[in-house]
Amino acid sequence: MTKLIFMGTPAFSVPILEGLSEQGYEIVAVVTQPDRPVGRKKIVQPTPVKEAALKLGIPVLQPEKLSGSQELEQLIALAPDLLVTAAYGQFLPERLLQAPTHGAINVHASLLPKYRGGAPVHYAIIEGEQETGVTIMEMIKKMDAGGIYAQESLPITSTDDVGTMFDKLSLLGKELLLRTLPTLLSGALQPIPQNEEEVTFSPNITREQEAIDWQKTAHQIDCQVRGMRPWPVAFTTYEGARWKIVDVQPQVTKTTATPGTIIEKTKTILAIACGEGTVLHLLRLKPAGKGEQTIASFLNGSGQSVQVGERLGE
């Protein structure tokens, strides 16, 4: 029986872990990030991978930093056949990468060499890509730069966001990994080097990137909003207060108004001028200090004072 160490943290990783267990691989340890405070009340919660591993009866290790830790020595001593990672969230020491008989592989949520880094799904949607996918790759010291064992694409629809794509890519990653492992473990599958000329990066989203630039087109802003939903959520400002923008809809109509200007307000519509004369309707938002609501609820409540001609994002 093949002995595996699995490393992952968020919900994306859970189906992959469960799939390995269901296929009969011997998972001798699961490594995940430490429990962290979550939400406004800062309640410490286990990672989704920890919860799944405990249900499966698999030992869990949670080093704050893997390099130089006691947990690192434990993992090497387990003498695994293979190390599998999926959105773990830390760089792995060279000693650990070299410890397994069949090396270390990663399930990465992009079509490498595009979108190396920690936020590949976010960037694929924000950049308006028509498709993304999953790559099974060898792990080397350089981030997401190892050779490719297998790859499969998946379309991004006009209604997809980070949440829906994570769900789809997680299941695709599980299926692709389970199809790839037998050939890989047999030694019959060799990794194909990535084309360095096609490399792009997807570093973690910054607060500055969350702010909506109304000079962009309605389509670009729609991609940004969906590429930051359900987290971290794009925002704009109105009279100094922050509105988190949860859902929008580009319109076919055109305008000559300055981008960011409110150009139409009814009981159910709030239309904003965007770049290149395009128009966007706000559908759902979260005003400062309030819960998420539909635009109709907002305009019937705290948004009653909003007027046509006012500007957002100033």
Side-chain angles (χ1 to χ4, degrees), residues 128-175:
E129 299 283 1
Q130 297 298 303
E131 65 174 11
T132 184
V134 171
T135 302
I136 310 297
M137 53 164 282
E138 64 172 343
M139 295 194 70
I140 61 175
K141 190 69 175 176
K142 189 176 179 182
M143 182 182 67
D144 299 331
I148 295 172
Y149 284 109
Q151 195 170 71
E152 192 163 330
S153 63
L154 195 67
I156 301 174
T157 73
S158 61
T159 59
D160 274 317
D161 60 19
V162 172
T164 62
M165 288 309 300
F166 260 115
D167 290 344
K168 294 176 185 179
L169 291 168
S170 179
L171 295 176
L172 180 62
K174 178 186 78 170
E175 295 165 2

Side-chain angles (χ1 to χ4, degrees), residues 25-310:
Y25 290 101
E26 182 186 2
I27 306 171
V28 294
V30 164
V31 187
T32 189
Q33 294 288 340
D35 300 348
R36 307 286 190 200
V38 176
R40 287 186 177 181
K41 295 184 179 179
K42 302 298 182 184
I43 299 173
V44 176
Q45 292 186 4
T47 71
V49 163
K50 179 181 181 179
E51 290 184 322
L54 293 176
K55 288 179 182 177
L56 293 168
I58 304 170
V60 176
L61 301 178
Q62 295 181 278
E64 188 69 45
K65 184 181 179 183
L66 195 52
S67 183
S69 68
Q70 180 183 348
E71 288 88 349
L72 174 60
E73 303 306 320
Q74 289 177 254
L75 294 170
I76 293 172
L78 288 170
D81 297 308
L82 184 69
L83 179 68
V84 179
T85 72
Y88 170 52
Q90 285 191 38
F91 281 102
L92 305 190
E94 190 73 26
R95 287 179 61 214
L96 182 58
L97 293 177
Q98 295 177 352
T101 310
H102 294 280
I105 62 173
N106 180 42
V107 182
H108 184 75
S110 86
L111 297 174
L112 291 171
K114 274 192 169 183
Y115 302 122
R116 293 180 182 176
V121 180
H122 294 76
Y123 278 82
I125 299 173
I126 291 168
E127 295 297 327
E129 299 283 1
Q130 297 298 303
E131 65 174 11
T132 184
V134 171
T135 302
I136 310 297
M137 53 164 282
E138 64 172 343
M139 295 194 70
I140 61 175
K141 190 69 175 176
K142 189 176 179 182
M143 182 182 67
D144 299 331
I148 295 172
Y149 284 109
Q151 195 170 71
E152 192 163 330
S153 63
L154 195 67
I156 301 174
T157 73
S158 61
T159 59
D160 274 317
D161 60 19
V162 172
T164 62
M165 288 309 300
F166 260 115
D167 290 344
K168 294 176 185 179
L169 291 168
S170 179
L171 295 176
L172 180 62
K174 178 186 78 170
E175 295 165 2
L176 184 60
L177 177 66
L178 295 179
R179 290 201 309 267
T180 304
L181 278 181
T183 314
L184 187 153
L185 292 169
S186 75
L189 185 61
Q190 296 301 313
I192 299 172
Q194 295 185 38
N195 184 343
E196 292 294 323
E197 294 182 359
E198 297 178 358
V199 170
T200 60
F201 293 96
S202 58
N204 291 335
I205 302 294
T206 65
R207 178 55 62 91
E208 290 73 24
Q209 287 174 292
E210 295 170 25
I212 292 173
D213 177 3
W214 294 102
Q215 297 291 336
K216 292 183 178 179
T217 67
H219 172 70
Q220 289 172 322
I221 295 171
D222 176 46
C223 289
Q224 177 186 2
V225 168
R226 291 185 293 109
M228 296 188 182
R229 186 177 71 220
W231 75 91
V233 186
F235 73 88
T236 191
T237 54
Y238 170 76
E239 295 188 342
R242 179 170 296 188
W243 292 357
K244 290 189 174 182
I245 307 301
V246 181
D247 197 14
V248 297
Q249 185 177 63
Q251 302 298 301
V252 296
T253 52
K254 292 286 188 176
T255 181
T256 57
T258 302
T261 303
I262 298 170
I263 59 172
E264 182 184 1
K265 178 192 175 186
T266 69
K267 291 183 178 180
T268 59
I269 292 173
L270 195 64
I272 317 297
C274 304
E276 298 182 18
T278 57
V279 177
L280 194 70
H281 283 184
L282 304 188
L283 301 183
R284 284 189 290 137
L285 76 164
K286 187 177 182 298
K290 299 185 181 296
E292 182 181 322
Q293 53 199 272
T294 65
I295 197 65
S297 296
F298 171 69
L299 294 173
N300 190 46
S302 60
Q304 289 185 47
S305 60
V306 173
Q307 299 296 321
V308 169
E310 293 179 323

